[in-house]
C-alpha cells in the first residue's frame, strides 16, 4: 500500500511540476515579446522623431514644408502596424493608449496634410495654413519622446 501512495504522490508532483514549468516558460515568452514590442516601437519612434526634426529644422530655416518628409512619416509606421494586435501585452493601459493615439493622429495628419504641404504661395492664408501644418508635426516630437521614455 505504501508503494501505491508513493506512486500517486510522484504522479501528482510530476503533473504539477510539468504544469508549473509550462506556465513559467509562457511567462518568460510573454516578457520577451513585451520587451521586443517596446524596443520595436521605441526604435520606430526614434526614426519618426528624426524625420519630424528635419521638418522642424527646414521650417525654422526657410518657412517651407517639404512634402516628401511628411510622406516619409507614413512609411515609418510598419512596426506599429505589424505589432498593433499584440499591444495588449504592454501592461500599462496608459502607454498602450498613448501609442495607439499617437499613431492614429500621425497617420491622420500625414493623410490630410501631405498634399497641402509645400505651397509656394506667399499669400497670408497659404502661409498661415503652412504654419499650422508645421506646428502640428512639430508637436508630434514631444509626444514621441514622451512615449519612448515611458517604454523604457
Amino acid at each position: 500500500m505504501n508503494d501505491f501512495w508513493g506512486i500517486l504522490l510522484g504522479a501528482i508532483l510530476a503533473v504539477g511540476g510539468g504544469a508549473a514549468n509550462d506556465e513559467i516558460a509562457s511567462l518568460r515568452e510573454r516578457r520577451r515579446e513585451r520587451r521586443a514590442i517596446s524596443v520595436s516601437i521605441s526604435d520606430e519612434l526614434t526614426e519618426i522623431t528624426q524625420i519630424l526634426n528635419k521638418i522642424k529644422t527646414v521650417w525654422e530655416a526657410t518657412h517651407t514644408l517639404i512634402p516628401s518628409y511628411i510622406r516619409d512619416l507614413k512609411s515609418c509606421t510598419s512596426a506599429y502596424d505589424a505589432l498593433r494586435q499584440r499591444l495588449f501585452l504592454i501592461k500599462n493601459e496608459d502607454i498602450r493608449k498613448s501609442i495607439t493615439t499617437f499613431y492614429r493622429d500621425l497617420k491622420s495628419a500625414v493623410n490630410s496634410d501631405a498634399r497641402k504641404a509645400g505651397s509656394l504661395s506667399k499669400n497670408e492664408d497659404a502661409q498661415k495654413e503652412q504654419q499650422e501644418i508645421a506646428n502640428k508635426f512639430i508637436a508630434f516630437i514631444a509626444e514621441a519622446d514622451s512615449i519612448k521614455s515611458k517604454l523604457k
Side-chain angles (χ1 to χ4, degrees):
M1 195 58 144
N2 284 340
D3 289 339
F4 171 75
W5 291 111
I7 292 171
L8 182 64
L9 179 61
I12 291 171
L13 289 174
V15 169
N21 186 41
D22 288 346
E23 186 60 29
I24 289 169
S26 177
L27 288 171
R28 275 193 229 139
E29 180 59 30
R30 281 194 297 257
R31 188 177 323 124
R32 272 193 291 263
E33 189 173 2
R34 189 172 22 257
R35 183 68 187 136
I37 289 169
S38 294
V39 168
S40 294
I41 296 292
S42 183
D43 288 350
E44 187 170 77
L45 288 171
T46 298
E47 188 176 347
I48 289 170
T49 303
Q50 289 171 347
I51 294 170
L52 291 169
N53 279 320
K54 285 181 187 177
I55 291 170
K56 179 181 178 185
T57 302
V58 171
W59 176 257
E60 289 174 347
T62 65
H63 288 320
T64 302
L65 288 172
I66 308 296
S68 64
Y69 289 165
I70 294 173
R71 285 191 300 271
D72 288 347
L73 290 170
K74 193 170 192 172
S75 66
C76 290
T77 63
S78 59
Y80 170 76
D81 293 337
L83 298 170
R84 185 175 54 206
Q85 299 301 319
R86 304 298 290 165
L87 285 180
F88 71 89
L89 290 171
I90 296 176
K91 292 179 180 179
N92 188 316
E93 183 179 346
D94 292 334
I95 295 173
R96 286 193 315 265
K97 186 176 179 181
S98 295
I99 292 169
T100 303
T101 301
F102 173 82
Y103 277 95
R104 182 196 64 221
D105 293 347
L106 180 67
K107 287 179 175 190
S108 175
V110 168
N111 289 334
S112 68
D113 296 330
R115 64 185 172 275
K116 297 177 194 173
S119 170
L120 297 176
S121 176
K122 295 295 180 188
N123 73 41
E124 188 175 321
D125 289 339
Q127 288 298 310
K128 185 176 178 183
E129 182 179 41
Q130 295 293 298
Q131 177 71 53
E132 289 171 5
I133 293 169
N135 289 342
K136 185 188 311 183
F137 284 102
I138 291 168
F140 282 122
I141 296 170
E143 287 183 60
D145 288 340
S146 172
I147 293 170
K148 278 177 30 182
S149 69
K150 291 176 186 176
L151 284 172
K152 291 183 181 185

